[in-house]
Amino acid sequence: MAAIRSKNTRPELIVRKYLFSKGFRYRINHPRLPGHPDIVLRKYRTCIFVNGCFWHGHDCSKGHLPNARQDFWRAKIARNRERDKEEQRRLAEMGWHCITVWECELAPAKRDSTLQSLEYTLNRIYLADHAVKYQPMQDGGYGMAAEPEAGE
């Protein structure tokens, strides 16, 4: 298990290369955030976790348990899933958006649609967080500077 990498995995590099080519700038494995997210986009206040299907218990063909020591693997993957939920809950409490990209979604057949939907989601998050919110003034108006006062 010492040979299993947790950083700079092939799925993570695929996502990072796509995001960079589309103009997104990010930090990797930010040490101050819970769980050290794989990709952190501060401008979008979003953390992206690129999870391996086996290690995080995804319900797909790559997420199956090995035949040997199934009790050990069940417990290990259950702990990983609980830790993932806790980290994402803590990030949400801090005001961060969390996106999980699964390894199986980056297979060549699904890769383009997955990456395009990731880009779309990030743009939607940015627009929602930076939308202009008008609040009525005390007199009930909106205080438009370009409009003359009523009765003038």
Side-chain angles (χ1 to χ4, degrees), residues 58-133:
H58 192 228
D59 187 27
C60 69
S61 63
K62 291 185 177 187
H64 70 280
L65 290 175
N67 292 330
R69 301 178 63 196
Q70 286 199 347
D71 293 337
F72 168 79
W73 287 111
R74 258 192 214 97
K76 181 167 184 58
I77 291 170
R79 284 192 313 266
N80 288 349
R81 292 178 81 165
E82 286 301 315
R83 187 181 64 242
D84 291 344
K85 286 179 189 175
E86 177 63 22
E87 290 166 353
Q88 289 188 11
R89 185 191 61 75
R90 287 175 52 203
L91 286 166
E93 286 175 355
M94 295 169 66
W96 288 84
H97 303 279
C98 295
I99 299 174
T100 301
V101 178
W102 292 98
E103 175 186 15
C104 63
E105 294 173 345
L106 295 172
K110 297 181 184 179
R111 184 177 301 162
D112 289 338
S113 64
T114 299
L115 294 174
Q116 287 174 358
S117 69
L118 176 62
E119 180 184 7
Y120 176 78
T121 302
L122 288 171
N123 286 325
R124 295 284 297 191
I125 287 171
Y126 182 80
L127 291 173
D129 285 352
H130 293 86
V132 176
K133 297 176 179 92

